[in-house]
Amino acid sequence: MDETLQLKGMSKELSALLTAVDHRMPIKKNTFLFQQGEEISDLYVILSGRIQIGKISLDGRELTLRICTKGDIVGELAHTNDDVKYILNAKVIENGEVGVIKKQTLDEKLLTDPALTLEFLKLMNLSYRKDQTRFRDLVLHGKKGALYSTLIRLTNSYGIKTDNSILIDIHLTNQELANFCGTSRESVNRLLNELRRDDILKIEKGKITVFDLDYLKEEINCENCPLVLCTID
């Protein structure tokens, strides 16, 4: 394991524990690291590549919750002795490598250190709250609000600010945006075209530049949640 790898949002002590992996494993684009319904046995540290976390409905519709990159922990952080199953999918969207952390090994180590156990529980709670705020936006704001919320979160995660705009520095197709919103590509196309006509944003070479972030926030009565909750990663 790369000793310089610092996991996001963690103390050096917890980061060191979680990077003491059992083994490394390559990941290939368009495969699944795990799928909903499978029994939870491992956590994963992303060493390179990108992984998309989401769900697939019974009728085949895809809902994306977040995109994870180097330094992220992937897996449903179920610190329990019960046999529980994944409720989300982890789809590889860019080739790379992960470190595998055996759940049983992690449980044994945490039991010997109450301070790290408390930090780990806080990490689990933050992950849960992030997903809940995404579901809240989808339920409360409809198709338009879901897209606007997604754009706001993307500016927080991948935004590069200039004097009068924010470039979302990640390439996303309209279908991928639709998956974040739990809606159809056609609906997203229409809404993006409306925003372009009103000079709220522009799209060039698959990347979005937002000119009026306040407009998006006002349209969904943005509650200005803590930045740590209002992201895509």
Side-chain angles (χ1 to χ4, degrees):
M1 175 64 63
D2 182 359
E3 295 181 354
T4 65
L5 180 61
Q6 175 69 37
L7 302 187
K8 298 175 184 177
M10 301 182 201
S11 67
K12 291 182 179 180
E13 292 76 14
L14 184 58
S15 184
L17 173 60
L18 293 176
T19 52
V21 300
D22 182 74
H23 62 277
R24 295 171 179 251
M25 183 174 73
I27 53 175
K28 186 176 180 180
K29 184 176 179 179
N30 293 327
T31 63
F32 286 90
L33 190 59
F34 56 79
Q35 292 182 271
Q36 57 197 67
E38 296 177 351
E39 187 174 308
I40 296 175
S41 59
D42 304 320
L43 289 177
Y44 304 91
V45 181
I46 301 181
L47 306 178
S48 59
R50 290 193 299 160
I51 294 176
Q52 173 183 290
I53 304 298
K55 289 182 72 70
I56 297 177
S57 66
L58 293 176
D59 60 4
R61 287 185 299 168
E62 191 171 350
L63 171 62
T64 301
L65 293 175
R66 59 186 183 273
I67 295 174
C68 299
T69 57
K70 181 178 179 179
D72 283 321
I73 292 287
V74 176
E76 293 168 31
L77 307 177
H79 185 53
T80 172
N81 291 326
D82 299 329
D83 292 332
V84 292
K85 300 183 184 299
Y86 291 110
I87 60 172
L88 299 172
N89 296 315
K91 182 179 180 180
V92 180
I93 57 176
E94 181 182 288
N95 293 344
E97 186 180 43
V98 296
V100 181
I101 306 167
K102 291 296 181 184
K103 177 179 173 296
Q104 181 178 352
T105 302
L106 177 61
D107 287 348
E108 292 171 353
K109 290 182 178 179
L110 287 175
L111 285 174
T112 66
D113 194 322
L116 287 186
T117 299
L118 179 60
E119 183 182 352
F120 187 78
L121 291 173
K122 289 180 178 179
L123 180 67
M124 285 192 290
N125 182 58
L126 177 60
S127 177
Y128 172 79
R129 290 176 66 196
K130 283 183 176 182
D131 289 343
Q132 289 304 303
T133 58
R134 288 287 295 137
F135 284 124
R136 176 203 65 191
D137 290 349
L138 294 173
V139 171
L140 293 181
H141 300 309
K143 294 178 181 179
K144 182 173 78 169
L147 175 62
Y148 290 9
S149 169
T150 297
L151 291 171
I152 293 167
R153 290 170 183 273
L154 285 168
T155 62
N156 289 335
S157 294
Y158 299 100
I160 298 176
K161 295 182 179 180
T162 64
D163 291 339
N164 59 359
S165 65
I166 304 174
L167 169 67
I168 299 175
D169 192 25
I170 183 174
H171 184 280
L172 292 172
T173 67
N174 285 5
Q175 182 60 61
E176 288 170 329
L177 275 176
N179 291 345
F180 275 112
C181 304
T183 189
S184 67
R185 179 174 55 83
E186 291 75 15
S187 294
V188 166
N189 289 346
R190 176 177 55 80
L191 291 168
L192 287 174
N193 285 333
E194 291 175 359
L195 291 172
R196 283 192 287 194
R197 283 197 301 269
D198 294 336
D199 294 324
I200 305 301
L201 56 75
K202 70 174 182 179
I203 304 174
E204 290 183 348
K205 298 180 179 178
K207 291 187 178 180
I208 298 172
T209 299
V210 177
F211 297 117
D212 195 343
L213 185 62
D214 288 338
Y215 172 85
L216 300 178
K217 290 183 176 181
E218 290 168 2
E219 285 292 299
I220 62 170
N221 297 314
C222 179
E223 299 176 2
N224 290 312
C225 296
L227 186 61
V228 69
L229 295 179
C230 191
T231 61
I232 287 296
D233 52 9

